[in-house]
Amino acid sequence: MKQLTIIGASGHGKVVADIALKSGYDSMVFLDDDERIQTCGCYQVIGKSSLAERTGNDVFVAIGNATIRQKIHEKLEKIGITVPVLIHPNAVIAEDTVIGEGTIVMAGAVVNPGSTIGKGCIINTCSSVDHDCQIGDYVHISIGAHLAGTVILGKNTWVGAGATISNNIEITSCCMIGAGAVVINDIIEKGTYVGVPARKIDIE
């Protein structure tokens, strides 16, 4: 039996479990540091994330916050735990795509030729990454967001639902691109960008 331990008993975790079942895992258990959470969908939460090594399973980090996801992922790497790549069978992935461990590609997503996707990324439902893009580690491309060709995204950047990034754009690390934003110029300063065209805003 091929079993997966999922860290993060949330809605995102439910989607991860569904894709894992469709990717060859037979069953799932969940870990979560919030002791009030006992189940995730039809699955049992058996303890805190510190138990990951003791389960003896492959482990996937189903946490939306990139900083936390990175911290846990790097700890798992250090102790030699297998962190798989999960790809929904209805995603379209070019044969030459390179995908780092711990990344999930959800239903309806498209990744076109020549693209590289880093570790611990979320390529969410019906999003698209066109040709020759470079996606840094722990990036989240949200539902329905679209990257045109030859886009570079720095690590820990979040692209909001329905956002569009024009071709040949480079975005630095640790940015938040708001839902529905349209990025037509390079972004060289980390921060939050919203609107059409996208502009930086101050967050108090």
Side-chain angles (χ1 to χ4, degrees):
M1 177 177 288
K2 190 177 181 184
Q3 189 173 53
L4 182 66
T5 297
I6 300 172
I7 298 175
S10 63
H12 179 54
K14 292 178 186 178
V15 179
V16 170
D18 180 68
I19 295 173
L21 282 175
K22 291 176 169 65
S23 302
Y25 286 93
D26 300 299
S27 64
M28 258 64 61
V29 294
F30 276 84
L31 301 174
D32 199 288
D33 291 340
D34 186 342
E35 295 179 343
R36 297 170 297 177
I37 301 174
Q38 301 297 313
T39 59
C40 185
C42 62
Y43 301 103
Q44 183 181 5
V45 178
I46 63 170
K48 294 185 176 182
S49 59
S50 57
L51 295 177
E53 185 177 10
R54 293 168 56 186
T55 66
N57 303 329
D58 295 350
V59 179
F60 196 89
V61 186
I63 294 175
N65 183 292
T67 301
I68 298 173
R69 188 164 71 251
Q70 178 179 354
K71 181 179 179 180
I72 296 173
H73 184 108
E74 290 176 348
K75 181 179 179 180
L76 296 173
E77 280 187 314
K78 185 176 292 186
I79 59 180
I81 290 178
T82 298
V83 184
V85 173
L86 297 177
I87 299 174
H88 193 283
N90 289 335
V92 179
I93 310 294
E95 290 186 6
D96 66 346
T97 300
V98 177
I99 302 178
E101 65 178 15
T103 285
I104 188 164
V105 184
M106 296 188 180
V110 177
V111 182
N112 276 332
S115 291
T116 300
I117 299 172
K119 298 184 294 185
C121 292
I122 301 169
I123 312 300
N124 221 316
T125 309
C126 294
S127 61
S128 65
V129 177
D130 218 298
H131 66 88
D132 301 301
C133 290
Q134 298 177 39
I135 310 302
D137 296 340
Y138 310 106
V139 164
H140 184 169
I141 300 174
S142 297
I143 293 171
H146 300 292
L147 277 58
T150 325
V151 167
I152 300 173
L153 290 185
K155 66 183 295 186
N156 295 80
T157 284
W158 180 83
V159 180
T164 300
I165 301 176
S166 189
N167 59 300
N168 304 314
I169 293 295
E170 182 169 356
I171 297 176
T172 192
S173 300
C174 303
C175 283
M176 295 186 68
I177 309 300
V182 177
V183 181
I184 60 173
N185 296 303
D186 289 351
I187 294 177
I188 61 173
E189 182 181 357
K190 69 180 181 180
T192 299
Y193 293 79
V194 301
V196 181
R199 300 181 186 279
K200 188 178 180 184
I201 60 171
D202 294 325
I203 304 294
E204 295 184 358

